[in-house]
C-alpha cells in the first residue's frame, strides 16, 4: 500500500498548529480547485489536498495518523504496524480494509480513516450536493467561477455605430472529478461604437459557473479589428493610398476616394508629388469623444501600356518642360 505523507502534501511541518494547517489547505484548495485551476492534474491534486486536511484538520485523526506515520517507508510504501493480524490492529482497534476502497480518497485513507470517518470532512457535515458542489463548513468549496476571454473579430465599418452581434463560444464546465466537458453557449451582445483593437468588453456573470454557492465568472470579449483591404489603421486615423496619373499630378484633378461609409470627391491641386498627404477631417475611426481623420496618400503611377502617339507627346513634353529631376545629384559641391 502506498503511504500518504499528509504533512508533505499540505507543505507544513509536523508540529504545525491547526491554524497553519487550515491556512495551507485553503491556499492549496483554491490553487487546485477544478473550476479555477489551469493545471493538468488539478482534480487529482485537489482530492489529495482534501484528503490530507480531512486527517490533519481533526485532532483525533491526526493523533492516529502520527502513530501510523512511523511505518511509512522512504520508498513511499507502507508497512502495517506490528500486531496486525488478518487485517486488524488489535492494540488500537483500527480496521485495515485492505486494497480497494473505491472512494474518492486513496487506499491508505480508506484503510485507516474511511470506515470510521465515512469519508466525511473534519470541519463540518460536508457532503456532495446533487449539482456537484459542496455544502457546510466555512464555504471553502463555494468558489467563484473562472473568467473567460474570447477574441471577437470586428470590421472597421462596424465601429462606426453600435452593433448587435451573436457570438458562440465554448464554456469549460467542471464536475466533481474527471476531465472538464465543454458546453456551447450563444449570446447576443452589443458592440459599442468606437471600440479599439485590443479593447476588452466585460460581460458580467457569463463565464464559467461557480462551484457550490459561488457566483459565475465573467466573460471578456477582446476586440480584434479585421485588417481592411484598403485602409491602414493608425490609432484612430485611417490612411489610404490613392493612385493618380502624371497629368493629374501636374494639372490637378477631381478624384473619387472611398471612405468607410461611402465615397467622397476630393480636389487634388496641381503639382502634387508621390507621397503627398491630404487630410479629410472626421472620416477616420470614432472614439468616445469624437472621430479620427482619413489621410489620402497620393501615388503617381504610369500607364501600363503607351501607344506610339502617346510616346511622341511624352517626348514633346520632355523637350519643352526643361525639367531635370536629378539636378541636385549633378550639382558641383
Amino acid at each position: 500500500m502506498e503511504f500518504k505523507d499528509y504533512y508533505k502534501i499540505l507543505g507544513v511541518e509536523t508540529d504545525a498548529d491547526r491554524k497553519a494547517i487550515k491556512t495551507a489547505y485553503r491556499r492549496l484548495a483554491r490553487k487546485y480547485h477544478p473550476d479555477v485551476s489551469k493545471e493538468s492534474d488539478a482534480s487529482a491534486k485537489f482530492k489529495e489536498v482534501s484528503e490530507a486536511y480531512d486527517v490533519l484538520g481533526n485532532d483525533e485523526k491526526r493523533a492516529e495518523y502520527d502513530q501510523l506515520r512511523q511505518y511509512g517507508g522512504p520508498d513511499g510504501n507502507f508497512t502495517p504496524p506490528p500486531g496486525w493480524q488478518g487485517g486488524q490492529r488489535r492494540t488500537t482497534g483500527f480496521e485495515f480494509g485492505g486494497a480497494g476502497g473505491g472512494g474518492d480518497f486513496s487506499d491508505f485513507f480508506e484503510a485507516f480513516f474511511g470506515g470510521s470517518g465515512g469519508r466525511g470532512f473534519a470541519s463540518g457535515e460536508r457532503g456532495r450536493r446533487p449539482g456537484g458542489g459542496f455544502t457546510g463548513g466555512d464555504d471553502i468549496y463555494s468558489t467563484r467561477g473562472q473568467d473567460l476571454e474570447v477574441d471577437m473579430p470586428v470590421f472597421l465599418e462596424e465601429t462606426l455605430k453600435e452593433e448587435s452581434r451573436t457570438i458562440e463560444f465554448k464554456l469549460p464546465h467542471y464536475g466533481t472529478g474527471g476531465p472538464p466537458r465543454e458546453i456551447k453557449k450563444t449570446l447576443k451582445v452589443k458592440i459599442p461604437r468606437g471600440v479599439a483593437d485590443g479593447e476588452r468588453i466585460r460581460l458580467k456573470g457569463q463565464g464559467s459557473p461557480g462551484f457550490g454557492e459561488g457566483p459565475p465568472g465573467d466573460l471578456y470579449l477582446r476586440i480584434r479589428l479585421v485588417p481592411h483591404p484598403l485602409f491602414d489603421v493608425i490609432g484612430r486615423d485611417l490612411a489610404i493610398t490613392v493612385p493618380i496619373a502624371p497629368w493629374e499630378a501636374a494639372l490637378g484633378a477631381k478624384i473619387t476616394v472611398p471612405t468607410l461609409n461611402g465615397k467622397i470627391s476630393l480636389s487634388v491641386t496641381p503639382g502634387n508629388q508621390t507621397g503627398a498627404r491630404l487630410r479629410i477631417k472626421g472620416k477616420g475611426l470614432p472614439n468616445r469623444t469624437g472621430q479620427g481623420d482619413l489621410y489620402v496618400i497620393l501615388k503617381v503611377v504610369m500607364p501600363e501600356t503607351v501607344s506610339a502617339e502617346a510616346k511622341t507627346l511624352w517626348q514633346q513634353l520632355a523637350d519643352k518642360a526643361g525639367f531635370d529631376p536629378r539636378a541636385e545629384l549633378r550639382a558641383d559641391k
Side-chain angles (χ1 to χ4, degrees):
M1 177 187 299
E2 180 186 1
F3 173 71
K4 291 292 184 180
D5 190 337
Y6 294 140
Y7 290 103
K8 184 176 181 181
I9 289 171
L10 291 183
V12 297
E13 300 294 334
T14 55
D15 59 352
D17 58 20
R18 292 188 67 182
K19 182 178 179 181
I21 290 173
K22 188 173 185 178
T23 299
Y25 169 64
R26 281 178 174 269
R27 176 177 57 82
L28 292 173
R30 294 187 185 280
K31 177 180 179 182
Y32 294 116
H33 196 292
D35 270 3
V36 298
S37 179
K38 296 183 179 179
E39 308 220 7
S40 58
D41 58 348
S43 181
K45 289 283 189 183
F46 183 73
K47 291 178 182 178
E48 191 175 49
V49 168
S50 299
E51 176 181 325
Y53 181 66
D54 184 277
V55 175
L56 299 185
N58 177 279
D59 291 340
E60 183 179 350
K61 290 183 180 181
R62 182 178 179 182
E64 295 173 355
Y65 173 74
D66 286 342
Q67 293 179 20
L68 293 170
R69 192 167 181 269
Q70 60 184 307
Y71 299 103
D75 58 355
N77 292 324
F78 178 73
T79 302
W84 285 90
Q85 295 180 3
Q88 183 175 1
R89 186 185 183 201
R90 300 183 183 277
T91 55
T92 63
F94 290 159
E95 294 182 357
F96 188 81
D104 285 344
F105 288 167
S106 67
D107 290 345
F108 178 83
F109 177 90
E110 297 290 343
F112 295 102
F113 305 104
S116 60
R119 293 192 296 277
F121 287 83
S123 58
E125 295 290 335
R126 291 194 179 114
R128 296 188 185 275
R129 290 182 175 176
F134 291 84
T135 179
D138 48 12
D139 288 334
I140 290 176
Y141 291 103
S142 292
T143 306
R144 181 180 180 274
Q146 184 178 0
D147 291 341
L148 298 179
E149 188 170 288
V150 176
D151 282 347
M152 168 167 281
V154 175
F155 293 104
L156 297 185
E157 291 84 353
E158 293 177 315
T159 67
L160 299 181
K161 56 183 179 180
E162 190 173 85
E163 289 280 343
S164 291
R165 293 272 300 276
T166 299
I167 63 170
E168 184 178 281
F169 59 99
K170 293 180 179 179
L171 196 65
H173 180 77
Y174 296 87
T176 57
R181 58 190 178 92
E182 292 185 333
I183 301 174
K184 285 187 178 180
K185 190 170 184 178
T186 302
L187 289 177
K188 189 171 184 179
V189 299
K190 286 186 177 180
I191 307 301
R193 178 181 182 273
V195 291
D197 189 56
E199 184 176 340
R200 295 203 313 169
I201 299 174
R202 177 190 177 207
L203 301 179
K204 187 176 180 180
Q206 297 297 334
S208 291
F211 204 74
E213 296 297 329
D218 298 333
L219 173 66
Y220 289 88
L221 301 180
R222 183 182 290 274
I223 301 300
R224 295 299 187 192
L225 293 183
V226 179
H228 197 279
L230 297 179
F231 301 102
D232 293 323
V233 179
I234 308 169
R236 307 309 297 173
D237 297 329
L238 297 176
I240 181 173
T241 298
V242 177
I244 59 174
W247 47 89
E248 290 177 322
L251 304 175
K254 283 274 190 181
I255 62 174
T256 300
V257 177
T259 69
L260 286 179
N261 56 356
K263 298 179 179 180
I264 61 172
S265 180
L266 179 66
S267 295
V268 177
T269 58
N272 271 292
Q273 308 279 355
T274 289
R277 293 162 58 92
L278 308 179
R279 176 189 175 205
I280 305 174
K281 189 175 181 180
K283 288 297 183 179
L285 298 177
N287 57 25
R288 301 294 188 267
T289 58
Q291 194 149 344
D293 301 328
L294 171 64
Y295 287 89
V296 176
I297 303 172
L298 300 180
K299 180 181 180 181
V300 179
V301 295
M302 291 292 296
E304 293 184 1
T305 59
V306 180
S307 65
E309 183 179 1
K311 286 183 179 180
T312 301
L313 294 175
W314 279 113
Q315 186 60 54
Q316 292 177 3
L317 176 62
D319 294 338
K320 295 181 179 180
F323 173 61
D324 185 356
R326 293 169 296 281
E328 292 184 359
L329 300 180
R330 288 192 287 270
D332 294 334
K333 297 184 179 179

